[in-house]
Amino acid sequence: MSEGQQSRKFSAPQPNSETQHFWDAAAEGKLLIKSCNSCGEVHFYPRAHCPFCFSDNTSWQQASGDATIYTYSVMRRGAPVPYAIAYVTLAEGPTMMTNIVDCDLDAIRIGQRVKLVFKPSEGGAPVPCFAPA
Ligand SMILES: [Zn+2]
């Protein structure tokens, strides 16, 4: 069994008024991002105001779950189980910080195609992670 097959324990997300809907959707297995009705840009993480033009006229949109690894870092020291933190670029454009899971940590590469997978947290909404596509 390779180290990548062990799973990291995720602490429960702490939703706030801007992200409650995001975590409610996560519980249904959906990854939501926001698109701006004023300037058309898509952003993540979800905010009440568009980070590009500060409009509050934004809409929720479900992401396809397709993404590419932009950069990553494997955490080994001080972690009960080694894990990989990464920034992935979603097919829709925004970049999000996440964990790369269900893979050999030594095989992760920048530019690798990954796919959304939700992992349970301890007592909260599932956490969006990505695994090799
Ligand atoms: Zn905007």
Side-chain angles (χ1 to χ4, degrees), residues 4-125:
Q5 286 168 313
Q6 300 173 44
S7 56
R8 178 188 177 203
K9 296 251 187 297
F10 293 100
S11 54
Q14 304 292 322
N16 60 35
S17 60
E18 285 184 318
T19 60
Q20 183 66 55
H21 186 68
F22 173 84
W23 291 113
D24 288 348
E28 297 170 5
K30 296 175 188 165
L31 177 67
L32 295 189
I33 53 182
K34 269 195 160 184
S35 60
C36 175
N37 299 322
S38 294
C39 72
E41 294 280 354
V42 178
H43 68 266
F44 187 90
Y45 58 94
R47 276 156 279 197
H49 291 82
C50 169
F52 299 99
C53 72
F54 307 107
S55 167
D56 62 359
N57 184 10
T58 59
S59 302
W60 292 99
Q61 172 184 339
Q62 185 176 348
S64 65
D66 295 321
T68 306
I69 295 175
Y70 177 72
T71 186
Y72 71 97
S73 182
V74 176
M75 309 293 181
R76 297 181 194 278
R77 256 199 300 179
V81 179
Y83 61 97
I85 293 279
Y87 280 94
V88 301
T89 304
L90 301 176
E92 290 78 11
T95 296
M96 68 180 279
M97 193 172 86
T98 186
N99 285 251
I100 305 300
V101 297
D102 301 340
C103 67
D104 179 351
L105 298 179
D106 294 323
I108 298 173
R109 295 289 176 265
I110 286 170
Q112 188 175 356
R113 293 191 56 213
V114 288
K115 183 90 187 152
L116 174 69
V117 53
F118 279 94
K119 293 293 178 183
S121 69
E122 295 178 314

